[in-house]
Amino acid sequence: MLIATLIVALTGLLWGVYWLPVRAMVSRGLPGAWGTVLATAAAALALAPLAWWHRRALARAGPVALGSIALGGAAFTLYSIGLVYGRVAIIILLYFLTPVWSTLIGRYVMGWHTPALRIVAIGLGLLGLVVMLSAGGAAPLPRGAGEWMALVAGVMWSVGTTGIRVKSALAPAPASFVFVLGATVTGLALAPFFDPWPTGVLRTGAAGLLGLALVTGVLWWGLSLALLMWATLRLDPARVGILMQTEVLVGAVTAALLAGEHLHPLEIAGGALVVSAGLLEVWPVRRRALVE
């Protein structure tokens, strides 16, 4: 359990600085979503041998399971692109509204029982969203493509994880391959709408750029996600949810220090409500685990 806990904690820290390589690829000549496409494609290539090894398990997996995993990858792609077009802390916080959407899906789509504290979590999360987006006197709506993509990504992730929970029995390695494959396809579909492929980048500095994309793909999209899937099978959801909250803190602090992105007091207050909603969402699960 200690190893699994360390893996989840380090994964949260790692994804808290994921915006650094994403924006570094932009600064090196890969605009918009193209850096995400290269990174996810590199991860897919790295995981392909493992997927081939587990090809029978992939063949046995149903379309709902495979589609749910791929949808999770698509959600991560939207989140990744959002980091290019929005402020890091706001993008992360909008994405971390996933407990609200997951609880609503579980209650009204799946018919699952909803503990009282999760109802409170929904209220806190939605209140945090309104407060955060109202900073500066603006209407409480996402501003810009990046914020909209982060919000949609959270909803997509909640739908995908619900399907994974109900239908998927894939091991971490083949599941990671399906995940990054869904991410790559989504990136390829979206990238041309933001910017055309920069043909000049292949002639100048291609080696360094491809190296950065390879490291980003293998480390973040490949290794860290596969290890996270392995660890979450060995920990209760409450522990995983709490440990992953470190991503919010690390992302906000590093963005403030390295990119000069400072939050409005209302954005901080709204973000605190969103984080509180995430903690409350997992608290009932943890209580049940302790009682059982």
Side-chain angles (χ1 to χ4, degrees):
M1 181 178 289
L2 176 60
I3 294 177
T5 299
L6 289 174
I7 287 174
V8 175
L10 290 175
T11 300
L13 294 174
L14 189 65
W15 279 92
V17 295
Y18 172 70
W19 66 274
L20 289 171
V22 168
R23 292 193 178 180
M25 285 186 281
V26 173
S27 67
R28 286 172 175 259
L30 273 183
W34 291 111
T36 298
V37 170
L38 274 189
T40 55
L45 289 174
L47 290 167
L50 292 174
W52 176 255
W53 182 264
H54 292 276
R55 61 189 181 277
R56 290 186 179 86
L58 285 168
R60 289 193 301 269
V64 174
L66 295 176
S68 298
I69 297 170
L71 185 64
F76 263 48
T77 285
L78 289 181
Y79 170 68
S80 179
I81 301 171
L83 291 170
V84 175
Y85 293 103
R87 290 179 296 161
V88 172
I90 299 299
I91 296 301
I92 295 176
L93 286 167
L94 285 172
Y95 182 78
F96 264 80
L97 279 163
T98 50
V100 172
W101 317 132
S102 295
T103 302
L104 290 173
I105 291 169
R107 180 180 177 88
Y108 294 108
V109 178
M110 305 303 295
W112 295 336
H113 171 67
T114 306
L117 278 182
R118 289 193 175 179
I119 296 175
V120 175
I122 292 175
L124 279 179
L126 293 177
L127 177 61
L129 175 65
V130 171
V131 171
M132 184 169 57
L133 295 180
S134 298
L141 293 171
R143 292 183 281 277
E147 293 186 9
W148 277 110
M149 283 191 289
L151 188 63
V152 172
V155 176
M156 290 172 60
W157 175 252
S158 298
V159 175
T161 52
T162 301
I164 293 169
R165 176 182 172 184
V166 174
K167 293 291 185 179
S168 180
L170 275 178
S176 297
F177 174 76
V178 175
F179 189 94
V180 297
L181 196 60
T184 304
V185 171
T186 303
L188 285 171
L190 292 177
F193 290 98
F194 292 97
D195 293 279
W197 172 257
T199 54
V201 77
L202 297 177
R203 295 191 295 268
T204 58
L209 185 56
L210 291 175
L212 178 59
L214 180 64
V215 171
T216 304
V218 172
L219 180 58
W220 272 271
W221 289 89
L223 182 61
S224 74
L225 288 179
L227 288 174
L228 179 62
M229 290 182 186
W230 176 88
T232 52
L233 293 175
R234 291 157 174 81
L235 296 173
D236 65 272
R239 185 183 293 269
V240 174
I242 292 170
L243 290 172
M244 286 301 294
Q245 295 288 340
T246 57
E247 182 179 345
V248 179
L249 178 61
V250 172
V253 171
T254 56
L257 294 177
L258 302 178
E261 295 184 3
H262 300 287
L263 297 178
H264 187 279
L266 278 180
E267 291 173 330
I268 296 174
L273 289 171
V274 170
V275 172
S276 298
L279 295 176
L280 279 180
E281 195 273 339
V282 297
W283 177 251
V285 177
R286 186 180 183 190
R287 294 285 297 177
R288 277 200 305 273
L290 288 173
V291 172
E292 294 171 357

